Amino acid sequence: MLRKVKAAAFPMKEKLKAYKCDQLPGGKYWNPDEKTAEILASLRPNNDICESLLGLNDWLTTALTNASQLTKSNLVEMKRNHTIQWLENPTVNRDKVINLAVEKKKSVEQQYHLMQHKQQEERISARATLLEKATEKAERRNAEVEKLSSIQLIDTEEQLELEIQAIEEKQLNQKDCNAEKILLIKDQIKKR
C-alpha cells in the first residue's frame, strides 16, 4: 500500500513542480524587478492554482471514469494553458503547430507505450510476488496441519492400554519391552 502511495505521490509532486516552475528558483518570477515585486507583495498568497488543478483532476476522475490518467492530465494542461483559445487565435500559425504535433506523435506514442509496458510488468511482478507469498503461506499451513495430524495423542486409558498391549504382543524381551513402553510415555509427554 505504501509503495502505491509513494508511486502516486512522486508524479504528483513533479506535476505540481511543473505547474509552479515559474515561481521556483530559476523561474521568471523567482527574482522579479522592483515594480513586479511591489505588485506581487501586495497580493494575498494562495494556492488557488494548485487547488483548481487538483479539483479539476478530481472532477475528471469521476466524470471520465474510463479515461487514463494521461488523458486526464492532458485535459488539465489544456485548461491551465488555455490551449483551445490559443489555437483559435488568428495570429497563431495553426498549420505549423499541427504539423509539429503530427511529427512528434510517433515518439510520444512510443514513450506512452513504453510507460504502459513498464507499468504492466510492474503489476505482473507484484501479482507474482503476492502469489508466491500466498503459496508459501499455504505450504506452511499445510505442513503445520500435516505435522499436527501426524501427532497421535493418547487421550484415554483404553488407548494407552491398547498401545501397551501392542508393544507386549511384539514378543520382545522384558528389557526391550519396558524400554519401548517408557519411550511411548516420553513421546506422549513431549507431544503435549
Side-chain angles (χ1 to χ4, degrees):
M1 178 70 176
L2 184 61
R3 188 168 35 129
K4 289 180 182 178
V5 171
K6 284 182 180 178
F10 180 74
M12 184 171 278
K13 177 185 167 195
E14 292 300 312
K15 183 64 75 177
L16 290 173
K17 192 174 181 180
Y19 292 152
K20 287 295 193 177
C21 64
D22 290 340
Q23 285 80 22
L24 295 174
K28 60 184 176 183
Y29 300 121
W30 178 250
N31 197 7
D33 57 24
E34 289 180 24
K35 184 179 178 184
T36 309
E38 234 178 85
I39 295 169
L40 292 175
S42 67
L43 296 175
R44 183 180 64 85
N46 63 53
N47 63 348
D48 291 346
I49 294 173
C50 293
E51 286 294 326
S52 169
L53 295 172
L54 290 171
L56 183 58
N57 195 22
D58 187 44
W59 178 80
L60 287 170
T61 301
T62 56
L64 304 172
T65 54
N66 291 337
S68 69
Q69 186 57 44
L70 185 65
T71 303
K72 294 173 199 166
S73 294
N74 288 337
L75 290 170
V76 169
E77 281 293 324
M78 283 178 57
K79 172 79 172 164
R80 186 176 84 87
N81 295 334
H82 308 289
T83 308
I84 300 299
Q85 292 89 339
W86 181 75
L87 283 172
E88 290 173 351
N89 187 341
T91 61
V92 173
N93 189 346
R94 280 180 284 222
D95 292 335
K96 277 186 178 179
V97 173
I98 292 170
N99 287 338
L100 180 64
V102 170
E103 287 173 16
K104 297 288 183 181
K105 178 183 182 230
K106 194 166 240 170
S107 66
V108 170
E109 278 182 348
Q110 286 175 344
Q111 288 176 347
Y112 176 71
H113 288 300
L114 286 173
M115 184 181 69
Q116 291 288 76
H117 183 67
K118 182 181 174 186
Q119 288 174 346
Q120 184 179 15
E121 286 177 350
E122 289 173 355
R123 283 193 298 269
I124 290 170
S125 173
R127 284 186 195 141
T129 304
L130 286 174
L131 181 63
E132 188 177 306
K133 286 181 180 179
T135 305
E136 288 175 4
K137 187 176 179 181
E139 286 174 358
R140 284 195 306 267
R141 187 183 69 240
N142 289 340
E144 187 69 24
V145 167
E146 184 71 31
K147 182 181 173 186
L148 290 174
S149 65
S150 69
I151 296 175
Q152 189 178 16
L153 292 175
I154 298 173
D155 293 338
T156 62
E157 278 186 45
E158 292 84 24
Q159 287 177 332
L160 181 61
E161 286 177 15
L162 287 173
E163 290 292 326
I164 290 173
Q165 205 173 35
I167 291 171
E168 289 174 349
E169 287 175 1
K170 289 182 182 177
Q171 296 180 350
L172 301 169
N173 63 32
Q174 189 64 30
K175 185 178 178 183
D176 290 340
C177 185
N178 287 342
E180 202 152 326
K181 289 177 187 177
I182 291 171
L183 188 64
L184 172 70
I185 292 170
K186 282 183 179 179
D187 186 47
Q188 288 298 310
I189 292 171
K190 188 178 177 183
K191 288 179 182 176
R192 292 174 199 271

